Amino acid sequence: MAVIIDGKKVSQEIKDEVKEKVAALKEKGIEVTLAVIQVGNDPASTVYVGNKKKACEYTGIRSLAYEIPEDTTEEELLKLVCSLNDREDVDGILVQLPLPPHINEDKVIQTISPEKDVDGFHPQSVGALSTGQPGFISCTPAGIIELLKRYNIQIDGRECVVIGRSNIVGKPVAMLLLRENGTVTVCHSHTADLKEVAKRADILIVAIGKAKFVTDEYIKDGAAVIDVGMDRDENGKLCGDVDFESVVSKAGAVTPVPGGVGPMTIAMLMCNCVYAAGLRRRV
Ligand code: GUN
């Protein structure tokens, strides 16, 4: 029977650690501040943004909310981002994605000052990660590594297989696993014999967006299985990319959905805000 990796518990520990750091900065006269921009009112985005605000409240980070209309022009949004770049009192800037189709997401991401890029999506942050330089690491991949570390799951020298090659999860988590000395394979929709490749994994990361896709046939006995999916099953119930019931008796460790990787993303965002304040405010 697998160890169930409790992302909710670990994320709580991290938020408590952040809370102490935020309080210590406050003693030095620094109020860690995150600006969150939401364009339009996509319901999923509203939930995510609400959770980010709650985490800020809990950790003592000041949050500035910009909820702006769906028909905001790209120029107006870029102007807002630039004004936040220029503000001394703003440490982190997060533009909730997806943006409406008339706005170029890449252009917006590239306009965020790399010093305030708490999402870690700016090409400078991505480049720094790839070349082993210090910089912001995007929150979900950082959360995955943190979970593995806190559960003493060794990465060094082990076979790590990532299913999915997105810019926000698959690629950056592969870079991070490599940085931790894992032997990394990245699989995607064109991979021949996915099952056989996945079965090589000591650590299997699944981020493909297909409900309950990975069953026990994809895993080796004792593997650590990290599920990044947020899907709905045939009854509309929240589930992951991994068929939890199928793998739980074969895996060595597995993350549930909900309560696995999800809560870690926001905890790591809070960490990135403290890192941003430390970078810019020279403490
Ligand atoms: N939309 C879904 N996840 C994220 C995230 O981590 N950051 C931003 N900015 N938008 C998202």
Side-chain angles (χ1 to χ4, degrees), residues 28 109 117 130 202 214 241 252 276:
K28 293 183 183 166
I109 289 167
D117 176 35
S130 308
D202 299 308
V214 167
D241 292 348

Side-chain angles (χ1 to χ4, degrees), residues 16-36:
D16 286 333
E17 291 161 18
V18 167
K19 192 174 181 170
E20 281 182 21
K21 289 180 189 162
V22 170
L25 285 166
K26 209 167 262 177
E27 297 250 303
K28 293 183 183 166
I30 294 165
E31 189 164 31
V32 181
T33 300
L34 171 67
V36 179

Side-chain angles (χ1 to χ4, degrees), residues 79-115:
K79 229 169 129 186
L80 172 59
V81 171
C82 289
S83 73
L84 294 167
N85 283 342
D86 291 342
R87 271 176 65 167
E88 240 346 274
D89 63 327
V90 172
D91 297 294
I93 303 170
L94 184 148
V95 180
Q96 187 65 27
L97 305 177
L99 290 168
H102 66 276
I103 299 178
N104 181 333
E105 277 184 4
D106 287 334
K107 207 162 163 186
V108 174
I109 289 167
Q110 285 169 33
T111 301
I112 295 171
S113 165
E115 287 190 318

Side-chain angles (χ1 to χ4, degrees), residues 160-175:
C160 305
V161 175
V162 180
I163 311 184
R165 56 173 161 180
S166 70
N167 286 337
I168 59 170
V169 182
K171 283 183 206 161
V173 83
M175 296 310 303

Side-chain angles (χ1 to χ4, degrees), residues 32-89:
V32 181
T33 300
L34 171 67
V36 179
I37 304 173
Q38 182 182 353
V39 185
N41 39 27
D42 170 67
S45 291
T46 302
V47 173
Y48 289 136
V49 166
N51 288 338
K52 287 169 188 175
K53 279 191 227 161
K54 266 192 238 158
C56 283
E57 270 168 39
Y58 182 80
T59 52
I61 293 174
R62 180 169 71 126
S63 70
L64 307 175
Y66 295 87
E67 279 139 25
I68 59 177
E70 181 86 18
D71 62 359
T72 301
T73 65
E74 184 178 286
E75 198 188 344
E76 286 166 330
L77 177 57
L78 294 176
K79 229 169 129 186
L80 172 59
V81 171
C82 289
S83 73
L84 294 167
N85 283 342
D86 291 342
R87 271 176 65 167
E88 240 346 274
D89 63 327

